[in-house]
Amino acid sequence: MKKYKLKKFNVILFTFIILMFLELSFRILTNVTIFNISFLYVTLYNIFVSLLISFLVTWGNNKFNKVIYYITIFIISFIYALQLCIYKMFGFYFDLSLLSATDQVASFAGDGLKLILENIVGVIVLFLPFIILLIFIRRISIHKNEVKINIIKLISLVVVYLVFIGTLYINGNGINSAKELYFNVSNNELNIRKFGVLNAFRIDVKRSIFGFEVKLDIPDDYVDPDKDDDEEDEEPEIVYEYNNLDIDFDSLIASESNSTIKMMHEYFKNESGTLQNEYTKYFEGKNLILFMAESFNEIAVREDITPTLYKLVNSGFKFNNFYTPTISSTIGGEFQELTGLVAASGFLSPWKSGENYYPFGVATAFQNLGYNTYAYHNHTYTFQSRHKYLAALGFDNYMGCRNGLENEINCNQWPESDVEMIEATFDDYIANENPFMVYYVTVSGHGDYGFNYSAMARKHKDDVANLNYSEKPLSYLAAQIELDQALELLIKKLDEAGELEDTVIALVGDHYPYYLSLDEVNEIASYEKDSVVEINRSNFILWNSEMETVEVEKIGSQIDVLPTIYNLFGVEYDSRLIIGKDILSTEPGLAIFGNSSWVSDKGTYFASSGEFVSRDGVTVDDDYIRYMNSIVSNKITMSRNIMKYDYYRKVLGE
């Protein structure tokens, strides 16, 4: 029988078929739209890569060429499988900045193996071309090309690439257009959706190695056609000051040689900041207990099984349109809560190192007001280098498992108990004469969910026995009961100590419970959520036992927590230099998501499709969408640059 041989020129066609198969399979597995303008970009780029691979694997003898070819196809298949598994687990895609969170990746290794098994069909599909190559290894022959053939391939490579570049101009020059994404904007998720996995990975590698500066797009002021001109002419009854510091930006601009930092000075100089308001110093002098609650989400708030959470969410300041955008998992949520900056790609290394200067660090800010400050976490204290960045924020007595808390609670179960953490730490701060500011990072609500996986879910299994849900959503709710009971215990202890009326409890989640699928989230949600925006809708608890309920309709997110608290407690800060804004101020509401989608008080913009969905009764024009896209892009860019260039040190020094 005559053996089939893959002829040297046919390597191009064979490789192209493999690449298109992988991309189409990936899009089907991750519910990405297939047939739109991105299909043209993907097709052209895959032709280019097929020519390039054929060029690279036809220089040696048959054996050498085959080895290089197999390794290449394996690496490409691995990249696709990695993106599939990361996306299925976290709801976002892998980029090289995530390597800065190697401790988190390592801690999820067991979950990752489980996830591979749960998505084994998809993983096998994405490795199918490589498997086929292994089966037919002896029937494939890739011989050395003649120089003339390789010259033709080189010319073809140049032509195809130029055609690809030309097509980028087809859909305009908007912030998230193909041309802007390819040359000027950093957005890994949109790159994957627009250009395909392979091209997006190449872009990520190139920018990680050679660096990448995102250009600012300063928009013209937007004039709302629906706004009544008479509103602007009305004199306010009270004239409020801005929450700004006295910073001489003109001198900074004149003395700065770095073009990027000079641009940042100019940007912040032109920002107005946010005005103080009727709630400025509303909580002045009161104690603050601030939580970052693991996987806390509005779906956990139920009067029947989490009554304390229900009470706190529905009294105090009641934020009805609040989001916790999931960007880079827990570390991204904590970063946003504690800095007021968007967790843009590339922030992880400077954040985790703890070497940046944070004059507005939450512990430092309250210490300046005469507070005693404390921080606790009921899991390993070094996880994600939390001990480093909390120290940079001013916490000099942070305690968790393995540096003292293991003597007080059971640190050998998974996840550990929030109730035990409150019980073990309350006496540390309650007996002092000075007011206190306490930061708790909880862990009881952590996934994976299932009564066999979560000690906290098992602990409260009987409390959810009457609910008719599948196991994972049911165990998620059971685990959140531990947080509810921890808050109940805290309130009881504060009351017994006579400190309840003088204490504010603030709580925000780090991300939605991404160990649950969208269908599982919707199983216990009160309405049908989408996978980009509404799955991140949550609650911001800001509560004091003595205050009347204040309902807030404005859009807010994690980055707004810090400036909102600072205004309420009378902390001096510069509202221009924190990207998030005081939710209680006159600043329009805005929530920014990982792929540059956003929600404003006028509606929701989905970056991947370019669709804007107005709120009921609201109409907007294209100018508004372009304006907001520029605003969002600039806020993301400034957040990244503040971290990258240690900007606060340059503006405010030590």
Side-chain angles (χ1 to χ4, degrees):
M1 180 181 295
K2 183 179 180 182
K3 291 184 178 180
Y4 171 76
K5 290 188 177 182
L6 185 62
K7 301 295 183 181
K8 44 193 173 184
F9 190 75
N10 287 340
V11 173
I12 300 172
L13 178 61
F14 193 76
T15 305
F16 176 74
I17 292 171
I18 288 175
L19 297 181
M20 294 303 294
F21 172 83
L22 290 173
E23 184 65 31
L24 293 174
S25 298
F26 179 83
R27 291 184 172 230
I28 292 170
L29 291 167
T30 56
N31 298 315
V32 175
T33 303
I34 296 174
F35 298 110
N36 52 26
I37 189 65
S38 68
F39 188 76
L40 174 61
Y41 303 139
V42 169
T43 301
L44 286 171
Y45 187 74
N46 282 347
I47 293 173
F48 173 81
V49 174
S50 301
L51 285 164
L52 180 62
I53 291 174
S54 174
F55 178 78
L56 294 175
V57 302
T58 52
W59 285 91
N61 59 43
N62 177 49
K63 185 176 181 180
F64 176 81
N65 291 341
K66 284 198 294 184
V67 169
I68 298 300
Y69 190 69
Y70 298 145
I71 291 173
T72 301
I73 299 302
F74 175 83
I75 291 173
I76 292 172
S77 299
F78 176 80
I79 292 170
Y80 274 93
L82 174 67
Q83 291 290 16
L84 173 69
C85 290
I86 292 292
Y87 181 78
K88 290 290 186 180
M89 184 173 196
F90 297 107
F92 54 80
Y93 297 109
F94 173 84
D95 65 60
L96 292 178
S97 70
L98 289 178
L99 294 177
S100 301
T102 51
D103 48 357
Q104 180 167 344
V105 173
S107 72
F108 288 142
D111 298 320
L113 292 173
K114 179 175 176 289
L115 188 69
I116 289 173
L117 294 176
E118 290 177 350
N119 295 278
I120 191 64
V121 173
V123 173
I124 290 175
V125 167
L126 295 174
F127 272 98
L128 192 58
F130 179 73
I131 294 170
I132 292 173
L133 282 176
L134 289 180
I135 293 173
F136 293 99
I137 188 170
R138 294 186 177 180
R139 299 192 176 188
I140 296 175
S141 178
I142 309 176
H143 293 294
K144 182 177 180 179
N145 267 339
E146 298 176 3
V147 174
K148 179 175 66 176
I149 298 297
N150 282 331
I151 291 174
I152 294 173
K153 287 181 182 178
L154 277 175
I155 295 172
S156 300
L157 277 168
V158 173
V159 171
V160 172
Y161 185 73
L162 290 176
V163 172
F164 168 76
I165 294 299
T167 61
L168 299 181
Y169 290 79
I170 289 177
N171 68 340
N173 299 314
I175 286 292
N176 295 319
S177 67
K179 181 174 73 71
E180 288 300 303
L181 284 169
Y182 199 78
F183 294 112
N184 299 320
V185 176
S186 179
N187 191 320
N188 189 52
E189 179 174 336
L190 290 188
N191 285 346
I192 286 176
R193 292 173 179 268
K194 189 81 72 173
F195 304 124
V197 170
L198 207 54
N199 200 356
F201 184 76
R202 183 201 62 79
I203 293 170
D204 184 33
V205 170
K206 177 186 174 184
R207 292 175 178 177
S208 297
I209 294 173
F210 298 104
F212 180 69
E213 293 292 343
V214 180
K215 296 180 180 178
L216 282 186
D217 177 46
I218 306 300
D220 295 330
D221 290 338
Y222 175 72
V223 179
D224 191 341
D226 296 328
K227 189 171 183 179
D228 190 345
D229 291 337
D230 293 336
E231 293 180 19
E232 297 182 357
D233 297 333
E234 293 178 3
E235 290 291 332
E237 294 181 7
I238 302 175
V239 178
Y240 290 105
E241 300 287 331
Y242 281 96
N243 268 320
N244 293 339
L245 302 177
D246 184 14
I247 300 174
D248 187 354
F249 280 108
D250 288 329
S251 295
L252 291 170
I253 292 168
S255 61
E256 183 56 59
S257 59
N258 183 292
S259 60
T260 299
I261 298 173
K262 184 189 290 281
M263 171 269 295
M264 295 175 71
H265 292 330
E266 292 171 344
Y267 175 88
F268 288 116
K269 174 190 173 181
N270 292 321
E271 286 285 289
S272 61
T274 56
L275 289 166
Q276 296 176 1
N277 50 69
E278 62 182 303
Y279 296 108
T280 300
K281 298 186 178 181
Y282 187 73
F283 290 142
E284 185 177 25
K286 292 190 182 298
N287 308 308
L288 172 65
I289 301 179
L290 173 65
F291 285 84
M292 186 185 76
E294 172 62 46
S295 299
F296 170 72
N297 185 267
E298 65 173 12
I299 61 175
V301 179
R302 299 172 55 110
E303 192 172 11
D304 53 350
I305 60 172
T306 53
T308 304
L309 282 168
Y310 185 86
K311 178 181 74 172
L312 298 183
V313 165
N314 290 286
S315 55
F317 285 101
K318 185 174 183 288
F319 299 98
N320 294 323
N321 291 288
F322 189 83
Y323 294 85
T324 55
T326 300
I327 306 175
S328 298
S329 188
T330 296
I331 192 170
E334 187 170 20
F335 173 84
Q336 297 194 135
E337 179 184 1
L338 296 182
T339 66
L341 306 177
V342 182
S345 175
F347 76 94
L348 286 171
S349 294
W351 171 240
K352 289 183 64 181
S353 72
E355 295 176 357
N356 278 19
Y357 176 52
Y358 301 98
F360 311 127
V362 64
T364 299
F366 278 89
Q367 287 165 7
N368 291 339
L369 294 177
Y371 282 62
N372 294 331
T373 60
Y374 308 82
Y376 304 98
H377 176 43
N378 50 337
H379 188 53
T380 307
Y381 81 105
T382 57
F383 185 60
Q384 297 179 337
S385 298
R386 184 170 281 120
H387 61 301
K388 293 181 180 179
Y389 57 74
L390 288 187
L393 299 178
F395 290 107
D396 53 9
N397 55 358
Y398 160 58
M399 184 167 65
C401 289
R402 311 296 176 249
N403 79 327
L405 197 57
E406 72 277 5
N407 298 322
E408 306 293 334
I409 72 171
N410 180 5
C411 289
N412 296 317
Q413 59 183 337
W414 176 251
E416 294 88 344
S417 166
D418 295 343
V419 171
E420 290 180 13
M421 178 168 62
I422 298 297
E423 185 71 60
T425 59
F426 183 80
D427 290 342
D428 292 352
Y429 51 84
I430 201 61
N432 294 306
E433 293 183 3
N434 293 338
F436 54 81
M437 182 272 151
V438 184
Y439 176 55
Y440 281 114
V441 182
T442 75
V443 78
S444 290
H446 206 294
D448 200 354
Y449 302 113
F451 295 110
N452 292 329
Y453 301 110
S454 170
M456 294 301 106
R458 287 193 300 274
K459 178 180 178 180
H460 299 289
K461 184 176 182 179
D462 291 343
D463 297 326
V464 296
N466 62 328
L467 300 178
N468 186 28
Y469 300 123
S470 57
E471 182 182 358
K472 291 183 73 173
L474 199 63
S475 64
Y476 167 75
L477 292 175
Q480 291 296 326
I481 290 175
E482 183 71 7
L483 172 64
D484 185 81
Q485 293 186 356
L487 291 167
E488 179 185 21
L489 175 64
L490 176 62
I491 291 170
K492 178 183 176 183
K493 283 181 169 291
L494 287 168
D495 193 23
E496 291 173 348
E499 292 286 347
L500 182 60
E501 66 182 34
D502 287 324
T503 301
V504 176
I505 295 176
L507 181 148
V508 67
D510 53 352
H511 51 70
Y512 80 90
Y514 50 62
Y515 279 89
L516 299 179
S517 67
L518 178 61
D519 289 340
E520 288 167 336
V521 167
N522 282 326
E523 188 178 337
I524 52 179
S526 60
Y527 67 98
E528 193 78 9
K529 295 174 178 284
D530 65 79
S531 62
V532 177
V533 172
E534 288 304 305
I535 198 170
N536 292 291
R537 181 183 282 269
S538 192
N539 301 117
F540 171 26
I541 291 172
L542 191 54
W543 179 88
N544 173 259
S545 63
E546 301 304 300
M547 69 176 290
E548 294 183 359
T549 300
V550 178
E551 294 215 29
V552 181
E553 296 299 327
K554 193 166 76 173
I555 302 297
S557 72
Q558 289 156 325
I559 65 173
D560 303 317
V561 169
L562 196 71
T564 302
I565 288 175
Y566 282 1
N567 181 67
L568 287 163
F569 280 84
V571 173
E572 288 190 2
Y573 74 104
D574 197 304
S575 60
R576 296 168 296 182
L577 299 179
I578 295 180
I579 299 303
K581 303 303 176 187
D582 173 15
I583 307 178
L584 303 173
S585 73
T586 56
E587 183 79 6
L590 178 65
I592 300 171
F593 299 86
N595 69 343
S596 295
S597 295
W598 46 266
V599 179
S600 73
D601 296 321
K602 293 180 179 291
T604 302
Y605 176 78
F606 295 92
S608 60
S609 64
E611 178 187 12
F612 181 81
V613 180
S614 297
R615 298 185 72 177
D616 293 341
V618 176
T619 57
V620 303
D621 53 24
D622 290 341
D623 288 341
Y624 174 76
I625 297 172
R626 284 192 291 268
Y627 173 80
M628 289 304 300
N629 276 333
S630 294
I631 294 296
V632 167
S633 177
N634 292 342
K635 286 180 181 292
I636 293 172
T637 299
M638 286 299 103
S639 296
R640 181 187 297 109
N641 286 351
I642 285 172
M643 296 304 300
K644 181 177 179 180
Y645 293 99
D646 197 4
Y647 183 70
Y648 293 146
R649 194 186 305 275
K650 291 177 171 53
V651 175
L652 298 172
E654 294 290 351

